[in-house]
Structure formats: C-alpha cells, structure tokens
Amino acid sequence: MPLLARMLPAPLTMEVRRGAVAQLGALLADSRVATSGRVAVAVGPGQGDHIEGLIAPTLNEATVFRVADGSVEAAVTLGADLRKGAYEVVVGVGGGRTIDATKYAASLAGIPMVAVATNLSHDGICSPTASLVYEGGKGSFGVPMPLAILVDLDFVHAAPESLVRSGVGDVISNLSAIDDWQLANVERGEPIDGLACSMARTSAEALIGRRDSIESDAFLTVLAESLILSGMSMVIAGSSRPSSGGDHEILHAVDQLFPGTSNHGELAGIGTAFCYFLREDAGRLRQVVDCLKQHKLPVTPGDVGLSEEQFTEAVILAPSTRPGRYTILEHMRLSDSEVRGRVADYVRAFGS
C-alpha cells in the first residue's frame, strides 16, 4: 500500500445506497468495526421508532439510545451512557444534529463512531467537528471522524427538499474557502495544504456543472460523496480552512444576529456568491449563482427574509466570528458605508 494511502485518515468504508439503515447489521459484522457485539445505536426523536424497527432484525444485541437534540447536554448524556455500558462502537443514525451529538459522545466515551446519514444538508457527515448548541449559542467541537459512513438514499428522498438542497450550497462554498486560503497564503504566508485544497475543490467541481438535481439517485450519490470528501479535506488540513472562508463567516454572523433565519447550506451559498461579487470574479460568480438557481437555493438576502440593512450588519460582524482567519472580508477592510454600498449593488444585480 502506498505511504500516502496508509497516512490518510479515511473511513474503513463509505457507501451510498438505498436501504442502508436496514442493512446496518452487515456493516457491523465486519470485525474491523466491532468484535464483541457490544454495539450502541443513537437515533433522534423524529424518526427514532421507524429506524429502530428497521435495524431490530439485524441488530438483536444492540442497545438503542434516543438523542434528544443537537445540544452539548444531550451529547454529554449519551457519552456517559456509552461509558457505563462499555460499548465497543456507537452508530449515529439520522440527520446532522444526531450525527454531531453522537460524534461528540463517542469522543467522550473513547470509542469509534459509525455515521449513517439520512439527510445531506451539510458536510458534517464525516468532518472532524461537531456543531452543538449550548447556553452561549452554537459552537464547533473537535472530534475524531467516523470509522465508517453510510448514506441511506431512501431516507434522503423522504427528507424535506430544502434541507437536501442546502447541501449543495455547503459544498459550493468550498470554492470561496479555497480562494480565501490561497489569498492568506499570498498575503500572510499562511501554510496551505495542497491535498486538502484538491479534495475540497474536487467535491465542489463535481456538483457545480450538473444539470440534474435531488430527484435523481445519481445526483444524490455525487452530493453525498462530495459532502464526505469535503469533510475529509478538513481532517487532512487539521482545520475547517478548505471548507470555510468569508462565506461561512457571513453565515455565522447571520446565525448570531438573526437566529433561525435559514439553514446552514442556504446561508453558505449566499455568502459564497457575495464573496465572489466582492472579488469581482465574474466567471466564478456566474457559475455559483447559476448553480444556486438550478437547485432552487436562495441567492440574495431577501430570499431568506433579510433586509439589505440586516445583511450589511452581518457582513460587518462576519470577521469577528473567526478571529485570526484571513479571508476576502479581512483583505478588503471595507468601511461600514462601503459594505452597505456593496450589498446594495449585489442585491440590484441579482434581486428578482
């Protein structure tokens, strides 16, 4: 095996198919995943009963835990249960909140985690972070990546369309994040990881020109692979750099100022388009906007219910959400009035 292949922190297996939840027992029969049969399964409150019914025939020895929500408290509670039960592996089955809570709980218990995704809303499926809610807001916590990853297309097709489409916005934002990282390398001498950049860029380029969408199994398979590859790029980089730039600074600012405005991927897509507008990169901007429209994603602040003034406020706050991260926002150092003007110009250019 080549040295590079042995060094990459890749999961043992990654599969995207229909019926993955019902076939979970076959994966756990792999001795590389579990040997003693002490398996815990974590499910969310929404589809917990349905998922438990599907896995019961093949996981008779498994203990099923319910994860109340995507909070630090829920993850810590699950972690304590896992430690008490001396489980060998925990399987998180569900959307982003359940998987993130399970990742963090597994890290607290010191055991590996298997991710079974039932939605494709963002690249947290296998990222080295868990995004969890706590009293002070929402934070990202470092965790090991999953030991194995499954995506069940039956569940993805049944998920709310807006959440599935939002995964496209999160993947496309990699392009802006990479440009920001390269800018920081030129302007600040920040080290850059070429392999991480290549993986993050490949995941975005695989989607940006496609003319099919979430109705197609073929498209969902590429979306799932792109989200997973994006997460792996962050593992290799040792940070979120290849997938989070000025675009994500803007979305985090929106989350802070106007919580509940929209979901992660939709805001990432708007942030990406606006950052390319600031860069005056007409070619890439047109690609990004066309892609967002192709997948019925919002393009302007008004599309998610934000006024120009509110979006301006978020762009001004954005750099403070990631102190030390150098992006197009920090590079341009726009005054408040200049930001207000650029936002107005952007809305005029792409508003309906």
Side-chain angles (χ1 to χ4, degrees):
M1 181 184 294
L3 177 61
L4 179 61
R6 285 189 277 114
M7 291 174 63
L8 286 179
L12 288 174
T13 185
M14 181 189 80
E15 297 183 34
V16 183
R17 64 171 187 260
R18 289 179 177 267
V21 171
Q23 300 169 47
L24 186 54
L27 169 65
L28 296 179
D30 188 329
S31 60
R32 296 174 299 170
V33 178
T35 57
S36 70
R38 294 285 301 169
V39 175
V41 178
V43 299
Q47 297 180 307
D49 290 337
H50 178 46
I51 291 171
E52 189 172 354
L54 286 174
I55 64 177
T58 57
L59 292 176
N60 296 324
E61 302 298 322
T63 304
V64 178
F65 293 96
R66 299 301 173 98
V67 179
D69 50 38
S71 67
V72 171
E73 182 181 3
V76 170
T77 299
L78 176 59
D81 289 334
L82 296 176
R83 284 196 303 274
K84 282 187 269 184
Y87 294 99
E88 187 176 8
V89 64
V90 58
V91 182
V93 186
R97 294 179 195 173
T98 301
I99 287 178
D100 276 358
T102 306
K103 282 195 290 186
Y104 190 63
S107 71
L108 294 177
I111 61 175
M113 179 265 189
V114 171
V116 182
T118 59
N119 204 337
L120 296 174
S121 58
H122 57 75
D123 60 12
I125 300 171
C126 80
S127 72
T129 61
S131 182
L132 301 171
V133 176
Y134 61 98
E135 286 184 3
K138 194 171 188 178
S140 294
F141 302 83
V143 295
M145 72 180 296
L147 182 67
I149 301 162
L150 296 180
V151 178
D152 192 317
L153 292 182
D154 286 333
F155 277 88
V156 174
H157 277 294
E161 279 194 10
S162 61
L163 291 182
V164 181
R165 293 183 189 280
S166 73
V168 177
D170 203 19
V171 171
I172 296 306
S173 72
N174 289 1
L175 297 170
S176 175
I178 293 166
D179 283 346
D180 280 336
W181 200 2
Q182 291 172 332
L183 178 64
N185 175 256
V186 172
E187 296 293 328
R188 294 285 185 87
E190 182 179 327
I192 192 167
D193 190 306
L195 179 59
C197 281
S198 178
M199 293 174 73
R201 182 184 294 109
T202 296
S203 68
E205 296 288 6
L207 282 180
I208 200 165
R210 291 187 69 101
R211 306 319 299 171
D212 53 351
S213 193
I214 65 170
E215 298 77 19
S216 157
D217 274 7
F219 179 85
L220 290 178
T221 298
V222 173
L223 175 58
E225 292 170 346
S226 293
L227 290 167
I228 292 167
L229 193 61
S230 179
M232 290 176 65
S233 75
M234 290 186 272
V235 176
I236 291 169
S239 76
S240 61
R241 230 349 178 159
S243 300
S244 175
D247 42 272
H248 273 58
E249 289 182 334
I250 292 172
L251 82 83
H252 290 308
V254 172
D255 281 341
Q256 285 185 30
L257 293 169
F258 314 107
T261 294
S262 187
N263 62 49
H264 183 97
E266 289 183 344
L267 293 176
I270 294 173
T272 299
F274 183 70
C275 285
Y276 276 118
F277 183 79
L278 293 180
R279 289 188 178 94
E280 299 183 353
D281 185 340
R284 188 60 97 179
L285 174 60
R286 175 47 59 190
Q287 278 187 309
V288 168
V289 170
D290 285 350
C291 181
L292 295 177
K293 289 181 176 180
Q294 161 75 12
H295 299 289
K296 303 176 184 177
L297 287 166
V299 175
T300 67
D303 294 337
V304 292
L306 291 176
S307 67
E308 287 185 26
E309 188 58 39
Q310 287 174 319
F311 191 70
T312 296
E313 190 178 346
V315 174
I316 292 169
L317 177 66
S320 69
T321 66
R322 285 291 183 272
R325 182 155 293 189
Y326 192 79
T327 76
I328 188 64
L329 301 179
E330 288 80 3
H331 179 69
M332 294 185 73
R333 295 191 218 174
L334 298 174
S335 67
D336 291 4
S337 61
E338 287 174 326
V339 171
R340 190 169 290 105
R342 296 298 178 93
V343 169
D345 291 342
Y346 176 76
V347 171
R348 273 195 297 272
F350 296 104
S352 56

